[in-house]
DNA sequence: AGTACCACCTGACGGC
DNA sequence: TGCCGTCAGGTGGTAC
């Protein structure tokens, strides 16, 4: 679930539900999701404070704590937020819960525990420490062309490399390459400046479209691969058949007919 | 610099 | 119905 569009949907969800409400209690159900902090510290930092806004960089979400640090949330492969009335989690795998004074609860659920919750003082420093490139929806064409073009390797791997551009994962790299009609194993350094520029345009369009669809597969345009992304499916664009391909150990899906290898 | 592979952890799903 | 292998959108470390 959690690539840039998914995290952006979570960010909007947090902003529409959880701002300007003092936190009364913090419950940590699994201390292993905390990185560099403790349940006690988290509770002390948040007690009586509200979230004022939420920011996102790539797949990372940051809630701005009133007069405090940022609450950093990463979703791993299975994380999501749930806001509801009452102090019970209301989800199957609650890992941390923020109970507001108004009786509502924001739950961080994460079945597979790959994500993390931490406190961040300085966002720029955090991005440097994690070697994160510019956000994929924020980067301008020139910078995108420069950064992607500086890489060798295969284009799918390059797009998924958070150091190059942050936010694109396995699913959306497939979607972007599908729209760009580009084979996943195309050597990145074979791409012309025009091809890289087009790739940037497709990146922006795909990510924005996914956000507008609320990342609900049923709401994607018919021309999108995601809703049918599996081996043997009919290509949404031609009479080809969707194929599976392994790229750097990840399973990708593409249409060999309209994304021919160079 | 890039790639393949393993690990982390849990659960869903298909095959037998 | 039940057991078992396989796979899953994330990142990070290893060896090559």
């Amino acid at each position: 679930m959690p690539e840039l569009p998914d995290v952006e949907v979570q960010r909007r969800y947090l902003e529409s539900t959880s701002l300007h409400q003092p936190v009364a209690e913090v419950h940590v159900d699994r201390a292993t999701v905390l990185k560099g902090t403790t349940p006690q510290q988290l509770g002390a930092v948040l007690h009586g404070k509200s979230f004022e806004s939420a920011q996102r960089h790539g797949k990372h979400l940051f809630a701005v704590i009133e007069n405090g640090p940022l609450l950093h949330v990463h979703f791993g492969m299975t994380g999501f937020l749930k806001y509801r009335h009452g102090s019970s989690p209301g989800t199957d795998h609650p890992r941390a819960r923020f109970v507001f004074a108004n009786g509502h609860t924001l739950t961080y659920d994460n079945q597979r525990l790959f994500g993390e919750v931490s406190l961040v003082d300085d966002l720029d420093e955090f991005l440097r420490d994690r070697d994160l490139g510019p956000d994929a929806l924020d980067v301008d064409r020139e910078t995108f062309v420069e950064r992607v073009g500086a890489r060798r390797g295969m284009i799918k791997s390059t797009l998924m490399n958070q150091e190059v551009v942050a936010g694109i994962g396995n699913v959306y790299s497939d979607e972007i390459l599908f729209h760009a009609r580009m084979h996943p194993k195309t050597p990145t350094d074979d791409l012309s400046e025009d091809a890289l520029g087009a790739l940037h345009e497709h990146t922006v369009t795909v990510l924005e479209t996914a956000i507008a669809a609320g990342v609900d597969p049923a709401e994607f345009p018919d021309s999108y691969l995601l809703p049918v992304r599996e081996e043997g499916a009919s290509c949404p664009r031609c009479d080809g058949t969707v194929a599976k391909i392994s790229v750097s150990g990840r399973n990708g899906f593409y249409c060999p007919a309209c994304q021919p290898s160079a």
Side-chain angles (χ1 to χ4, degrees), chain A residues 2-8 56 58-59 135-137 166-168 207 211:
Chain A
E3 299 182 37
L4 187 152
D6 310 273
V7 178
E8 176 61 20
R56 183 190 55 71
K59 304 172 189 174
D135 184 81
L137 261 189
I168 303 168
L207 297 178
I211 293 167

Side-chain angles (χ1 to χ4, degrees), chain A residues 118-132:
Chain A
S118 62
L119 292 169
V120 168
D121 288 316
D122 184 309
L123 183 54
D124 290 333
E125 185 184 334
F126 174 87
L127 300 180
R128 278 196 302 276
D129 286 350
R130 300 286 180 114
D131 289 326
L132 290 173

